[in-house]
Amino acid sequence: MPKYKSRGEEAIAEVLTQEHIGFKYEYPILALETREGDGDKLRVWYPDFWLPKYSIIIEYFGMVGVSDYDKGMQRKKDTYKQLELDLISVYPETIKKNLKAYLLINIDNFLRGKLKHFNNRHNPLQTS
């Protein structure tokens, strides 16, 4: 079992393990990141959790309220959105509430959205 960088990451890993949801911890992905004054650059990122079976990223944002951290957090969110990667953002208050329900509901919502998109792409009943 990998050593996690925070108690929040450990809690997420525990839920995923208990629910038999396969994940990779800090699995590298290639991201085209845009930074102000630096332009677009390909960078290797290490999301906290990658759910390969579902193509979902989970990031634990444990230091919300720290200016530089908040900027980096927003940059990650914007980049994942631009790359059309599904992201579940987890915060300290999420950990204190019902983390299991939060994760399962978000995973379910992403999967339902993907299935709906797939089923609607060539629906013969749809008129253009």
Side-chain angles (χ1 to χ4, degrees):
M1 184 171 184
K3 186 172 182 153
Y4 301 101
K5 293 180 181 173
S6 69
R7 177 64 190 118
E9 288 181 357
E10 190 175 321
I12 294 166
E14 286 173 10
V15 169
L16 296 175
T17 300
Q18 289 168 358
E19 293 301 312
H20 306 287
I21 298 171
F23 67 90
K24 304 282 185 183
Y25 181 66
E26 294 191 334
Y27 189 79
I29 65 166
L30 192 58
L32 181 63
E33 180 184 12
T34 302
R35 286 192 182 180
E36 193 175 313
D38 197 15
D40 293 345
K41 289 191 178 178
L42 283 174
R43 300 182 194 278
V44 178
W45 281 12
Y46 299 89
D48 295 332
F49 298 91
W50 168 246
L51 311 183
K53 188 172 182 179
Y54 309 118
S55 295
I56 295 173
I57 290 171
I58 300 173
E59 288 280 8
Y60 176 61
F61 297 115
M63 294 175 31
V64 177
V66 176
S67 180
D68 287 343
Y69 186 86
D70 288 349
K71 288 177 189 174
M73 177 179 66
Q74 192 58 52
R75 187 170 56 244
K76 278 185 179 182
K77 289 179 178 183
D78 292 345
T79 300
Y80 290 144
K81 184 175 183 174
Q82 178 186 5
L83 295 172
E84 297 182 6
L85 293 171
D86 293 328
L87 169 66
I88 299 173
S89 299
V90 179
Y91 305 94
E93 62 268 15
T94 314
I95 301 289
K96 293 175 187 173
K97 294 179 182 175
N98 190 341
L99 176 62
K100 177 180 171 181
Y102 177 82
L103 291 175
L104 295 179
I105 288 168
N106 277 280
I107 292 168
D108 184 69
N109 287 341
F110 277 129
L111 295 178
R112 286 178 189 272
K114 289 176 184 182
L115 185 60
K116 183 177 179 182
H117 174 77
F118 179 79
N119 287 334
N120 289 338
R121 64 186 166 76
H122 293 295
N123 186 341
L125 300 176
Q126 228 176 1
T127 56
S128 301

